[in-house]
Amino acid sequence: MDRKEKQEKIVGMFDEIAETYDLANRVLSFGIDVQWRKKGCDKAYEILGTREVERIADVATGTGDLLLHWRDRAAEKGVEVHNYVGIDPSVGMLEVARKKVDFADFVEGKAQELPLEDESTEIISISYGIRNVVDRQEALREFYRALKPGGMVVILEFTKQEKKGFTAPLVDLYMKKILPAVGGLVSKNYAAYRYLPDSIEEFLTTGKLIEELEESGFEMKYVKPFSMGISTLFVAQKSA
């Protein structure tokens, strides 16, 4: 299977699970993914340090979940955001997003070919999506191109464990046994949730993703692991 076919297969899988995606996320994370998302928004607003934002683009937006947090955290912090954009290659996901999020513009598009003008966006986010981008380094270069000088990229992702500590057996049990079983039950699509732990195992360590961000021109501002390192938040900035 070539890279294009692999990417199309991943997109098709997300089309199939779009209707149950939010419920599965809440069940599988016990709801704590909401706190992870809020933390990413808060950190970006804090580091950006402005009360007015022209545009926030959420890439691989899925059902638009993170856009709700961008809006709510902006209101909490007194930040005025003029335009929210959700970008995703999955038509099925975007159909759900448009029903759920009425304040954003949604566009079908890929992370490695963003439908955004050069230096047009203050914040680009991608939550649990960069792992599914086959041409990841192209996507990081696209994020850099589309961000304004001083703009922020916020990434939430499941990262490969760098060291096998005493919690590793628990993490492995959850990711390889419990998650596929529960996700498959909720979505009626076992294959999609079998893909998740496999894709994490094939993905980068935290250190390697930091290295790729820096190679793309970003300066790391904040890195935070959650829940025994199952999930990691990365916040990086384009030079001003």
Side-chain angles (χ1 to χ4, degrees), residues 143-190:
F143 296 171
Y144 195 88
R145 175 193 65 77
L147 282 170
K148 293 181 179 182
M152 313 298 303
V153 62
V154 177
I155 299 174
L156 266 167
E157 192 50 271
F158 299 113
T159 46
K160 186 175 180 179
Q161 299 293 296
E162 297 190 57
K163 296 178 181 178
K164 295 291 184 180
F166 71 94
T167 60
L170 288 175
V171 173
D172 283 348
L173 175 66
Y174 176 74
M175 297 303 291
K176 295 179 180 178
K177 300 293 184 183
I178 297 172
L179 185 149
V182 176
L185 186 65
V186 173
S187 68
K188 306 293 191 292
N189 189 324
Y190 182 83

Side-chain angles (χ1 to χ4, degrees), residues 178-228:
I178 297 172
L179 185 149
V182 176
L185 186 65
V186 173
S187 68
K188 306 293 191 292
N189 189 324
Y190 182 83
Y193 285 90
R194 177 67 261 173
Y195 161 82
L196 180 57
D198 289 346
S199 68
I200 295 167
E201 194 61 32
E202 294 170 6
F203 191 56
L204 306 177
T205 61
T206 295
K208 183 61 178 173
L209 185 52
I210 289 171
E211 186 179 310
E212 288 193 359
L213 281 160
E214 290 176 339
E215 286 173 354
S216 300
F218 290 102
E219 179 185 350
M220 293 306 305
K221 291 294 185 179
Y222 186 80
V223 180
K224 173 72 173 177
F226 299 109
S227 297
M228 297 182 291

Side-chain angles (χ1 to χ4, degrees), residues 7-28:
Q7 190 69 78
E8 288 174 353
K9 183 178 180 181
I10 292 170
V11 172
M13 180 189 71
F14 280 101
D15 282 335
E16 292 173 5
I17 62 173
E19 292 292 336
T20 58
Y21 187 71
D22 284 342
L23 175 60
N25 277 354
R26 295 297 95 80
V27 171
L28 290 168

